[in-house]
């Protein structure tokens, strides 16, 4: 058996890398004796920590503390607990945690749930298992080391056994081990077994309760007539025009507020007896907005601002050698400008929250990715002690980063406080696309010099976009991009170049920004993978062969100064392995008929290594189809192979939406796109054949929700180039496709 | 206005505006929340229910337009949740967030009723109006064929 390793290195690294990651060990060391003391009437449940409860009748309850939004994390986290506890999966009950600091960070973003959950959850379960074993050892007067655990029982060598339920009361009196001992990886029974999600029944019978489905006694409904821009001010509205409509209960303005993770624009709230009443009144309500300096703002201005910033030198975040000198020596220099637009998450369940604000308490039901911080934001808003605020996490109809923000929760809280009733405040699709938070648009300027051998001599990457830090800090603007926002450009470089420079420029734009699945790696990976492909072709090299050659022998490379364990340095061997395997699965070397093409993209994100090959068919009319996607992933131990596969499948479709269709544009100081007719997303007909494989591994699991998204667009664009359809430098590829 | 409706086999009299889309009656008044709101414009399919077995978008179906047609929602598809399409969906672990799946399932049920062994092209056509932001389309295609098999086996037995 091996002892749990320390987490310090990883945590420090992620802070350095700009990830929103604070690991708090959610161990409640004092919980067991306290629980034992408090229970009088009935025998106490064994609750050695916040995650596990074993009742004397044998019921085992495991708590999933991160938000489940389709990524399967509730199932995955519970599997980790269950396997380390040696309970029987069929017998455990998995419940969603409410927002509570005792779980540590519950902010379900940035691929962190398993990465940061693995160690505390295994510690929590291993501690419980050891305490149950110790209790059995005491009962039998046998040494604990001679006992085994399996399927919710402690087993003696002579065949006697006691269930965890039978041992619960006695185990609660045992000391919580300071350093719980983990199972060997080879002893996992559940981890590694394809396991159905815990919500399957609810999801296929219409019985699951999402945020939008919550109903409370006496509840009323609300929608907002929203300012077109965060900076817009309410000039006037005519409440009389709708107040007399049957079912309309109240019409009143809400001021804009800038708060961390929760900036809300000005609005007019319409409260009514049902959703339809609110929607009708919203349509009928005349509201006049003052757009101020942005009255004429449109996509041309967005482009001009980005271009102007790209033409400046920017802040240098990382560099090596002497790019200027290398430029003189280079035989060929390629300079390319890549562009990506504003994007909307477009979760199918729009933002929604039910809030019930009382005089000295507040309870909300919300599809939130971030319940712990939401609870604190509500407490601050209402000036209540945190203990008086309850945040129930519902099923979530898609998150993708949008629902880690608290704006929609605070809106519901404000309206409920004002009307003194429980309120369901929901966003329409138009609200979501036109008045929400957005992935920043970007310009990526790449410059690559090739030596006489046709290989990169220098590599310069200048990233221009809007920072997400303004959203996180609640400031209206920040001076420059944070180091973490450039990490994507650094990581995707993925090979040593003697002379290199990564620089960035922050551009202030009038829409609110948010992280979105794939984050900045979406545009960084697009640009660097496309640039690499073009540079390889210009130098007369096959991109797979050149990638592998430049990676060199297997070794770990420190990409930037960090105190991180070498386990998390860039591993050229792992990268090479996924590339080789993807190339083999895609028959990379087999010739293709005319009009077809293959394209490679590679990427490291959240410590996972991925290679993707796209296969496309082009037609003489300029249209094309994405026929097949091959994806090979090394994300350490795969806890739930079926769920992991689903994440890759979903990432490919999410990436295709961005690649083929996604674009939020602006005109006259407003967002143009209003619904799925003009903000199209991938549909069933866009689905390629998918070949997905995971590298077998015994390493700590790393991220999987996001890292496959940024490879899709560059793989497709490179495949189009190889098919003879020319190189593309701007997303989306709308217009290239047959209708 | 009063409407006499038949919802999941039960006659119901409701008093509501004739222009209210069926979606909001089901969700807000009758607590049948399995039918989802996604776009309000018939563009995403999340609100799909059956009128006399035909799939319709309840978000753009005013109550006044329904007449005597029988309404079936995801809740009324099967008394025990074991309709062949539901079983196939679970067998393939189709849902991720699950939000769109009521609608996808309702359209699939209607497809298989008309076309018990649909071609892959017919499946894509029947479900083209549905959006799944999680990207479960590949599994949906497999699950539809599996459901067709389940239904055929059931019919034979």
């Amino acid at each position: 058996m091996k002892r749990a390793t320390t987490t310090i290195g990883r945590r420090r690294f992620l802070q350095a890398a700009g990830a929103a990651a604070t690991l708090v060990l959610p161990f409640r060391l004092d919980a067991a004796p306290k629980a034992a003391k408090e229970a009088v009437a009935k025998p106490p449940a064994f609750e050695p920590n916040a995650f596990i409860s074993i009742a004397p009748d044998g019921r085992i309850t495991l708590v999933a503390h991160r938000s489940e939004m389709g990524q399967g994390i509730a199932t995955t986290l519970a599997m980790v607990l269950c396997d380390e506890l040696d309970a029987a999966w069929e017998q455990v009950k998995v419940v969603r945690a409410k927002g509570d600091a005792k779980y540590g960070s519950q902010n379900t973003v940035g691929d962190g749930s398993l990465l940061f959950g693995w160690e505390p959850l295994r510690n929590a379960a291993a501690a419980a298992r050891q305490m149950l074993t110790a209790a059995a050892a005491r009962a039998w007067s046998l040494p604990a080391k001679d006992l085994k655990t399996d399927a919710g029982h402690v087993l003696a060598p002579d065949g006697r056994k006691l269930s965890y339920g039978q041992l619960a009361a006695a185990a609660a009196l045992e000391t919580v081990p300071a350093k719980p001992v983990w199972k060997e990886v080879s002893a996992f029974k559940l981890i590694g077994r394809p396991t159905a999600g815990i919500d399957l029944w609810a999801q296929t019978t219409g019985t699951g309760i999402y945020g939008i489905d919550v109903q409370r006694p006496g509840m009323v409904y609300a929608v907002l007539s929203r300012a077109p821009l965060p900076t817009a001010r309410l000039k006037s509205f005519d409440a009389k025009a709708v107040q007399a409509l049957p079912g309309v209960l109240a019409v009143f303005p809400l001021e804009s507020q800038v708060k961390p993770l929760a900036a809300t624009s000005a609005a007019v709230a319409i409260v009514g007896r049902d959703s339809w009443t609110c929607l009708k009144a919203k349509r009928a309500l005349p509201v006049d907005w003052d757009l101020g300096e942005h009255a004429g703002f449109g996509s041309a201005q967005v482009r001009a601002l980005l271009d102007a910033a790209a033409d400046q030198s920017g802040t240098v975040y990382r560099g090596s050698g002497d790019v200027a000198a290398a430029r003189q020596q280079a035989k060929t220099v390629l300079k390319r400008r890549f562009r990506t637009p504003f994007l909307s998450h477009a979760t199918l369940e729009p933002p929604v929250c039910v809030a019930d604000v009382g005089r000295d308490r507040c309870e909300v039901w919300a599809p939130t990715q971030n319940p712990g911080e939401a609870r604190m934001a509500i407490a601050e808003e209402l000036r209540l002690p945190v203990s008086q605020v309850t945040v129930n996490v519902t099923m979530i109809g898609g998150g993708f980063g949008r629902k880690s923000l608290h704006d929609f929760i605070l809106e519901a809280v404000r309206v409920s406080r004002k009307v003194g009733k429980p309120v369901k405040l929901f966003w329409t699709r138009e609200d979501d696309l036109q008045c929400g938070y957005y992935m920043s648009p970007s310009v990526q300027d790449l410059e690559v010099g090739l030596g006489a051998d046709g290989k990169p001599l220098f590599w310069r990457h200048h990233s221009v976009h809007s920072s997400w830090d303004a959203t996180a800090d609640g400031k209206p603007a920040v001076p420059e991009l944070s180091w973490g926002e450039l990490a994507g450009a650094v990581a995707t470089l993925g090979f040593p170049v003697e002379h290199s420079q990564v620089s960035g420029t922050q551009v202030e734009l009038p829409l609110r920004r948010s992280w979105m699945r794939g984050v900045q790696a979406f545009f960084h990976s697009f640009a660097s993978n496309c640039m690499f492909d073009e540079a390889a072709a210009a130098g007369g090299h096959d991109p797979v062969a050149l990638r592998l050659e430049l990676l060199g022998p297997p070794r770990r490379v420190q990409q930037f100064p960090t105190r991180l364990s070498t386990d998390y340095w860039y591993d050229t061997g792992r990268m090479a392995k996924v590339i080789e395997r993807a190339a083999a699965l895609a028959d990379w070397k087999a010739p293709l008929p005319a009009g077809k093409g293959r394209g490679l993209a590679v990427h490291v994100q959240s410590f996972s290594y991925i290679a993707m090959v796209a296969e496309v068919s082009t037609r003489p009319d300029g249209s094309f189809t994405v026929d097949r996607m091959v994806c090979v992933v090394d994300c350490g131990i795969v806890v739930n192979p079926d769920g992991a596969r689903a994440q890759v499948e979903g990432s490919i479709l999410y990436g295709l939406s961005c690649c083929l269709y996604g674009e939020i544009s602006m005109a006259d100081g407003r967002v143009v796109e209003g619904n799925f007719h003009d903000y199209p997303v991938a549909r069933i007909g866009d689905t390629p054949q998918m070949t997905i494989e995971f590298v077998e591994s015994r390493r700590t699991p790393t991220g999987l929700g996001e890292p496959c998204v940024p490879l899709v667009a560059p793989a497709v664009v490179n495949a189009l180039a190889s098919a003879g359809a020319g190189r593309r430098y701007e997303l989306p590829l709308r217009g290239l496709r047959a209708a | 206005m009063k409407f006499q409706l038949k919802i999941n086999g039960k006659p119901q009299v409701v008093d509501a505006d004739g222009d209210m889309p069926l979606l909001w009656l089901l969700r807000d008044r009758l607590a049948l929340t399995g039918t989802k709101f996604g776009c309000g414009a018939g563009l995403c399919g999340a609100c799909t229910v059956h009128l006399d077995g035909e799939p319709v978008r309840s978000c753009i179906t005013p109550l006044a337009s329904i007449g005597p047609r029988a309404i079936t929602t995801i809740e009324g598809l099967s008394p025990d949740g074991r309709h062949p399409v539901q079983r196939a969906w679970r067998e393939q672990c189709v849902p991720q967030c699950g939000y769109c799946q009521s609608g996808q399932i309702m359209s699939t049920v209607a497809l298989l009723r008309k076309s018990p062994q649909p071609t892959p092209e017919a499946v894509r056509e029947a479900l083209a109006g549905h959006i799944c932001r999680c990207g479960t389309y590949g599994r949906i295609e497999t699950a539809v064929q599996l459901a067709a098999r389940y239904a055929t086996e059931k019919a034979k037995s």
Side-chain angles (χ1 to χ4, degrees):
Chain A
M1 295 237 181
K2 73 165 192 175
R3 288 209 181 276
T5 50
T6 167
T7 56
I8 298 303
R10 224 183 318 157
R11 181 165 104 221
R12 286 210 179 120
F13 167 76
L14 277 148
Q15 280 166 348
T22 312
L23 181 64
V24 181
L25 272 179
F27 239 109
R28 271 181 20 200
L29 295 170
D30 61 341
K34 197 169 152 215
K37 259 184 262 161
E38 279 171 2
V40 184
K42 60 176 183 182
F46 172 45
E47 290 175 347
N49 49 63
F51 299 104
I52 295 168
S53 170
I54 303 176
D57 64 8
R59 280 177 301 132
I60 299 179
T61 307
L62 306 177
V63 178
H65 67 302
R66 295 288 184 124
S67 294
E68 173 58 64
M69 51 194 152
Q71 82 282 41
I73 201 63
T75 306
T76 304
L77 295 177
M79 285 172 72
V80 173
L81 284 166
C82 184
D83 204 336
E84 187 64 62
L85 181 64
D86 253 342
W89 179 247
E90 293 68 25
Q91 287 162 16
V92 302
K93 185 181 171 202
V94 183
V95 298
R96 289 168 158 75
K98 294 183 198 297
D100 197 320
K102 71 181 176 185
Y103 300 112
S105 172
Q106 292 173 271
N107 192 7
T108 314
V109 294
D111 282 325
S113 297
L114 201 46
L115 195 60
F116 298 111
W118 182 250
E119 199 166 294
L121 292 188
R122 289 193 70 189
N123 280 340
R129 177 171 41 74
Q130 270 173 265
M131 292 163 77
L132 290 158
T133 306
R138 219 179 282 280
W140 290 326
S141 299
L142 287 169
K145 67 174 175 53
D146 292 349
L147 307 183
K148 290 199 168 82
T149 50
D150 184 43
H153 290 81
V154 181
L155 315 172
D158 58 13
R160 282 182 292 174
K161 63 180 189 178
L162 285 167
S163 76
Y164 285 180
Q166 288 172 306
L167 290 164
L173 302 172
E174 296 289 336
T175 312
V176 180
K179 287 189 175 172
V181 181
W182 291 4
K183 282 168 82 166
E184 293 287 353
V185 169
S186 58
F188 286 151
K189 297 184 187 101
L190 184 58
I191 291 171
R193 191 173 96 192
T195 302
I198 57 168
D199 294 323
L200 259 189
W201 181 270
Q203 289 167 324
T204 52
T205 52
T207 52
I209 300 297
Y210 295 79
I212 204 166
D213 301 331
V214 172
Q215 299 197 335
R216 302 294 304 164
M219 185 180 87
V220 294
Y221 295 75
V223 296
L224 303 186
S225 183
R226 295 167 182 279
L229 290 176
T231 48
R233 294 176 31 188
L234 180 62
K235 267 208 296 215
S236 65
F237 69 102
D238 183 8
K240 285 198 202 78
V242 297
Q243 259 162 349
L245 294 177
V248 172
L249 303 172
V251 181
F252 52 89
L254 291 175
E255 284 176 13
S256 67
Q257 291 200 31
V258 179
K259 288 189 166 187
L261 302 177
T264 52
S265 300
V268 179
I270 300 150
V271 183
R273 68 181 170 200
D274 54 40
S275 303
W276 180 240
T277 299
C278 295
L279 292 172
K280 262 170 70 170
K282 178 176 170 166
R283 209 178 296 159
L285 178 70
V287 185
D288 203 6
W289 299 102
D290 175 3
L291 297 178
E293 57 172 318
H294 296 302
F297 201 87
S299 289
Q301 280 81 359
V302 174
R303 195 179 173 103
L305 283 169
L306 291 166
D307 277 343
D311 293 336
Q312 309 295 314
S313 55
T315 306
V316 175
Y317 290 79
R318 183 184 173 220
S320 62
D322 186 342
V323 168
R327 194 180 280 121
Q328 303 304 317
Q329 297 166 25
K331 189 160 169 277
T332 313
V333 175
L334 301 171
K335 277 179 82 167
R336 299 289 181 259
R337 179 162 290 186
F338 297 85
R339 296 171 197 279
T340 61
F342 273 120
L343 292 168
S344 169
H345 311 75
T347 60
L348 201 54
E349 177 195 38
V352 58
C353 175
V354 173
D356 183 3
V357 179
R359 204 166 52 83
D360 54 2
R361 46 155 282 282
C362 172
E363 185 163 10
V364 305
W365 294 259
T368 170
Q369 292 176 238
N370 194 354
E373 289 179 39
R375 189 185 189 206
M376 290 187 277
I378 295 166
E380 188 191 288
E381 171 82 20
L382 298 174
R383 300 185 184 181
L384 284 176
V386 172
S387 60
Q388 295 304 100
V389 177
T390 306
V391 175
N392 302 285
V393 184
T394 63
M395 286 173 70
I396 303 177
F400 314 125
R402 174 64 183 92
K403 290 172 182 167
S404 66
L405 301 160
H406 312 310
D407 59 308
F408 58 99
I409 297 174
L410 292 186
E411 285 173 351
V413 164
R414 285 169 196 154
V415 173
S416 173
R417 177 175 51 185
K418 172 96 177 173
V419 302
K421 288 180 179 158
V423 170
K424 180 191 290 183
L425 186 144
F426 68 103
W427 290 48
T428 63
R429 179 58 51 201
E430 290 78 9
D431 290 343
D432 179 48
L433 291 176
Q434 298 183 326
C435 308
Y437 283 76
Y438 303 88
M439 172 83 150
S440 170
S442 93
V443 161
Q444 304 291 316
D445 267 5
L446 275 284
E447 184 186 6
V448 180
L450 303 177
D453 57 1
K455 294 173 195 168
L457 188 62
F458 75 90
W459 184 281
R460 194 175 64 79
H461 188 154
H462 184 205
S463 175
V464 178
H465 60 275
S466 274
S467 174
W468 67 19
D469 280 10
T471 301
D473 299 344
K475 293 179 207 140
V478 293
E480 59 179 32
L481 299 171
S482 64
W483 197 95
E485 292 178 277
L486 271 293
V490 176
T492 50
L493 193 50
F495 53 84
V497 182
E498 198 180 340
H499 310 284
S500 68
Q501 189 187 80
V502 175
S503 56
T505 306
Q506 134 83 2
V507 175
E508 201 47 42
L509 295 168
L511 298 181
R512 292 175 295 192
R513 278 90 55 191
S514 151
W515 29 92
M516 189 180 94
R517 190 180 195 180
V519 294
Q520 286 87 345
F522 169 69
F523 39 70
H524 291 151
S525 166
F526 164 58
S528 64
N529 271 298
C530 291
M531 189 73 248
F532 186 94
D533 201 74
E534 184 172 357
H541 295 285
D542 172 79
V544 168
L546 184 61
R547 284 271 185 200
L548 293 172
E549 186 189 333
L550 293 177
L551 280 171
R555 68 201 184 286
R556 288 170 190 173
V557 182
Q558 193 179 32
Q559 292 252 359
F560 30 78
T562 162
R563 279 187 239 174
L564 186 68
S565 138
T566 54
D567 276 356
Y568 294 94
W569 289 16
Y570 188 90
D571 188 325
T572 59
R574 292 175 78 184
M575 189 78 250
K577 194 167 175 182
V578 294
I579 294 173
E580 281 166 350
R581 188 64 192 143
L585 288 170
D587 290 321
W588 181 261
K589 287 182 181 156
L592 282 170
K596 286 186 184 283
R598 289 191 196 98
L600 171 76
V602 311
H603 185 45
V604 176
Q605 189 172 351
S606 306
F607 309 111
S608 294
Y609 296 74
I610 304 126
M612 197 177 276
V613 176
E615 277 180 28
V616 301
S617 296
T618 59
R619 299 197 192 84
D621 66 358
S623 67
F624 75 99
T625 51
V626 180
D627 302 330
R628 184 184 181 209
M629 296 295 268
V630 174
C631 186
V632 178
V633 182
D634 179 353
C635 58
I637 291 169
V638 178
V639 175
N640 183 2
D642 187 69
R645 184 167 295 272
Q647 280 304 288
V648 180
E649 292 164 359
S651 296
I652 289 171
L653 268 298
Y654 203 87
L656 276 177
S657 285
C658 300
C659 172
L660 301 176
Y661 306 118
E663 180 172 22
I664 291 288
S665 54
M666 294 183 73
D668 301 325
R670 291 159 196 267
V671 167
V672 173
E673 288 73 21
N675 212 314
F676 288 119
H677 65 287
D678 54 5
Y679 190 76
V681 296
R683 291 179 183 256
I684 196 166
D686 295 309
T687 311
Q689 188 197 333
M690 293 182 264
T691 306
I692 296 161
E693 203 174 276
F694 292 89
V695 173
E696 212 169 298
S697 171
R698 291 189 158 213
R699 291 169 188 274
T700 299
T702 50
L704 191 60
E706 304 197 47
C708 296
V709 173
L711 293 96
V712 177
V716 168
V717 168
N718 291 341
L720 285 169
S722 102
R727 294 204 174 265
R728 295 275 156 175
Y729 302 99
E730 188 162 356
L731 296 180
L733 302 176
R734 186 149 42 181
L736 266 182
R737 216 185 143 72
Chain B
M1 258 181 98
K2 282 207 164 61
F3 295 95
Q4 289 203 324
L5 300 174
K6 194 173 160 196
I7 302 176
N8 295 332
K10 272 198 317 207
Q12 302 230 18
V13 178
V14 297
D15 191 359
D17 290 348
D19 65 351
M20 179 191 268
L22 174 59
L23 172 71
W24 300 116
L25 176 86
L26 294 172
R27 293 182 50 80
D28 293 356
R29 299 275 191 90
L30 307 177
L32 293 169
T33 54
T35 305
K36 301 302 189 210
F37 167 66
C39 69
L43 298 165
C44 78
C47 67
T48 303
V49 300
H50 292 177
L51 291 186
D52 278 349
E54 289 290 326
V56 299
R57 307 295 189 236
S58 66
C59 75
I60 50 168
T61 303
L63 294 181
S65 73
I66 294 171
R69 289 179 290 177
I71 301 160
T72 310
T73 71
I74 183 79
E75 291 91 346
L77 197 54
S78 147
D80 61 357
R82 291 185 50 76
H83 187 283
V85 175
Q86 291 172 310
R87 281 167 51 212
W89 246 244
R90 290 193 288 269
E91 176 59 33
Q92 290 298 313
C93 294
V94 170
Q96 288 185 34
C97 89
Y99 193 78
C100 72
Q101 301 297 347
S102 296
Q104 308 262 16
I105 288 170
M106 295 309 284
S107 280
T108 300
V109 170
L111 166 72
L112 294 180
R113 203 170 282 153
K114 272 196 177 152
S115 171
Q117 278 160 349
T119 61
E121 293 71 32
V123 173
R124 285 190 167 206
E125 200 185 315
L127 297 177
H130 291 262
I131 287 172
C132 172
R133 287 293 279 147
C134 301
T136 62
Y137 302 123
R139 291 187 188 219
I140 287 174
E141 293 187 277
T142 313
V144 174
Q145 299 301 341
L146 183 63
R149 227 177 66 210
Y150 284 163
T152 316
E153 283 164 9
K154 203 174 160 189
K156 278 184 198 155
S157 64

